[in-house]
């Protein structure tokens, strides 16, 4: 499976990417929402994982753009966030995300979420 | 009953610290999990990564209490202790070497041994949070200079300026410290 992961927290992104690669997946990395939207078009991933709070373009804004694009509108999107408020869950759903996971999470949980979302 | 505090500022404080504490915790959880999966060879400094995350958690936890107290109107203690900013900066760089290296930061520090007296608990913590922010969000060259109590941080490729800096400026002001910030330049005027 090809997985696109976008998170501005470099170290967290690297660790999660390492785990996903260990699970046998092809991983492409982006450091903000804008880059994620461009890379989603370029790399045609099977699933997109977006951090919510990123510079230049948030994960919510990126999700909305991906949902408007013919090439990416059907892609499963998982939002990762360090915001656990009720309104944040609502915003994630409104933006068009398939799943919303709060930090901290274990890479194993994320992998399970990826498998369930892609089904 | 009307609130005596600024609910917007409370929200800024909650969101800032919740975000950073959750992110640092996520780093610990993810690193332990990856280590458990036998990927230690790929990141031989994992225990150092966890130590750095623990340091970030400590800084943010202390900061959360300080900022909530301030926004809620708890009087700022007038207890004073001697503070030497150059020592704090030096201490900080020894605490987070991996973050600085991974972010590709070329850090240069040129400070004198200026000392002043203020509320050490608050000043040290806010300065640590500012340094954490720069270490985690900046890229490329970060230059810290300090002369006669005026400390300047200049960044080549800055991250976004957090909204909480406006509250920092007010709190620093209560302690007689000037704090101004822009996208690429921060300035602290201690002991004014």
């Amino acid at each position: 499976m090809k997985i696109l992961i976008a998170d501005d927290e470099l170290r967290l992104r690297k660790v999660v990417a390492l785990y996903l690669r260990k699970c046998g997946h092809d991983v492409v990395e982006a450091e903000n929402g804008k880059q994620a939207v461009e890379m989603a078009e370029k790399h045609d991933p099977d699933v997109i994982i977006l951090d919510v709070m990123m510079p230049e373009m948030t994960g919510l804004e990126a999700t909305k753009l991906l949902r408007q694009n013919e090439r990416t509108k059907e892609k499963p999107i998982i939002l990762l966030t360090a915001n656990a408020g009720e309104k944040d869950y609502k915003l994630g759903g409104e933006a068009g995300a398939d799943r919303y996971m709060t930090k901290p999470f274990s890479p194993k949980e994320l992998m399970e979420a990826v498998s369930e979302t892609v089904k | 009953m009307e609130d005596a505090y600024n609910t917007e500022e409370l929200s800024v404080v909650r969101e800032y610290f919740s975000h950073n504490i959750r992110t640092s915790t996520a780093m610990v959880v993810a690193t332990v999990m990856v280590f458990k999966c036998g990927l230690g060879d790929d990141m031989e400094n994992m225990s150092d990564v966890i130590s750095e995350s623990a340091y970030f958690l400590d800084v943010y936890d202390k900061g959360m209490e300080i900022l909530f107290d301030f926004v809620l109107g708890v009087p700022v203690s007038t207890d004073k202790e001697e503070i030497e900013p150059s020592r704090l900066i030096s201490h900080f760089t020894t605490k987070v070497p991996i973050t600085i290296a991974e972010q590709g930061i070329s850090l240069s520090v040129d400070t004198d041994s200026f000392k002043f007296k203020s509320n050490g608990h608050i000043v040290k913590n806010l300065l640590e949070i500012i340094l954490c922010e720069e270490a985690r969000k900046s890229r490329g060259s970060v230059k810290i200079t300090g002369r006669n109590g005026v400390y300047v941080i200049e960044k080549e490729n800055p991250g976004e300026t957090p909204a909480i800096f406006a509250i920092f400026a007010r709190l620093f002001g209560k302690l007689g410290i000037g704090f101004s910030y822009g996208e690429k330049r921060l300035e602290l005027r201690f002991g004014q």
Side-chain angles (χ1 to χ4, degrees):
Chain A
M1 199 183 323
K2 187 183 275 186
I3 302 170
L4 167 62
I5 179 164
D7 196 324
D8 62 320
E9 286 291 335
L10 174 70
R11 191 186 291 172
L12 185 59
R13 191 179 77 230
K14 275 176 63 178
V15 171
V16 173
L18 183 67
Y19 183 86
L20 295 173
R21 287 190 183 107
K22 185 247 172 191
C23 293
H25 302 294
D26 184 9
V27 182
V28 281
E29 299 176 45
E31 62 181 45
N32 59 53
K34 189 169 173 241
Q35 222 178 64
V37 171
E38 290 164 3
M39 291 178 89
E41 275 229 56
K42 187 179 170 190
H43 293 278
D44 191 28
D46 299 298
V47 62
I48 300 166
I49 301 168
L50 300 169
D51 179 33
V52 171
M53 282 180 75
M54 292 188 285
E56 290 201 45
M57 185 187 290
T58 68
L60 292 173
E61 290 164 341
T63 301
K64 285 178 189 167
L65 280 182
L66 291 164
R67 289 292 178 245
Q68 289 164 14
N69 185 323
E70 274 302 314
R71 293 192 62 194
T72 56
K73 69 179 184 185
E74 302 293 339
K75 298 285 181 195
I77 297 176
I78 298 173
L79 285 174
L80 293 180
T81 181
N83 299 326
E86 191 182 351
K87 69 171 185 193
D88 300 303
Y89 283 95
K90 200 175 164 201
L91 287 173
E94 284 170 0
D98 297 279
R99 192 151 179 163
Y100 199 84
M101 286 185 74
T102 52
K103 297 176 182 177
F105 59 87
S106 79
K108 191 179 167 196
E109 284 172 334
L110 178 62
M111 198 54 248
E112 286 166 2
V114 166
S115 303
E116 286 169 17
T117 309
V118 171
K119 267 180 196 167
Chain B
M1 191 179 114
E2 195 174 324
D3 293 340
Y5 44 79
N6 184 327
T7 51
E8 196 176 316
E9 284 194 339
L10 278 176
S11 177
V12 168
V13 172
R14 186 196 70 79
E15 282 179 20
Y16 180 79
F17 287 105
S18 171
H19 176 80
N20 283 297
I21 288 170
R22 280 179 173 273
T23 300
S24 297
T25 309
M27 194 59 233
V28 173
V29 173
T31 305
V32 169
M33 180 59 73
V34 165
F35 192 68
K36 196 177 156 192
C37 293
L39 295 171
D41 290 346
D42 295 286
M43 298 183 81
E44 51 190 47
N45 50 8
M46 284 195 173
S47 60
D48 291 338
V49 168
I50 290 171
S51 293
E52 286 195 17
S53 297
Y55 170 72
F56 286 128
L57 284 167
D58 178 54
V59 169
Y60 291 126
D61 184 49
K62 283 180 193 157
M64 182 169 62
E65 184 192 18
I66 289 169
L67 269 292
F68 270 129
D69 278 355
F70 178 61
V71 174
L72 290 169
V74 175
V76 177
S77 167
T78 54
D79 291 349
K80 290 186 177 181
E81 66 175 273
E82 191 170 80
I83 302 166
E84 188 176 344
S86 59
R87 283 191 64 188
L88 275 173
I89 294 164
S90 175
H91 172 72
F92 176 81
T93 58
T94 63
K95 283 286 188 182
V96 294
I98 299 170
T99 300
I100 290 170
E102 283 183 349
Q103 289 289 115
I105 292 173
S106 165
L107 178 68
S108 73
V109 181
D110 178 16
T111 55
D112 62 14
S113 55
F114 171 82
K115 294 173 189 169
F116 69 104
K117 287 196 169 183
S118 187
N119 182 317
H121 179 62
I122 294 177
V123 173
K124 287 176 187 173
N125 181 259
L126 294 194
L127 183 56
E128 280 183 304
I129 293 174
I130 290 168
L131 293 170
C132 286
E133 196 66 39
E134 301 316 322
R136 294 175 63 191
K137 304 286 169 62
S138 297
R139 300 272 198 284
S141 160
V142 175
K143 190 175 164 191
I144 303 175
T145 51
R147 290 284 178 274
N148 301 317
V150 180
Y151 280 69
V152 175
I153 303 175
E154 291 170 292
K155 305 165 272 181
E156 184 185 17
N157 297 306
E160 283 186 353
T161 303
I164 203 164
F165 276 9
I167 307 174
F168 282 19
R170 282 207 305 117
L171 179 48
F172 272 133
K174 289 267 182 199
L175 299 167
I177 296 166
F179 176 48
S180 57
Y181 54 92
E183 194 187 352
K184 292 196 167 185
R185 188 178 192 278
L186 307 178
E187 184 176 295
L188 285 149
R189 289 180 168 268
F190 295 113
Q192 302 296 297

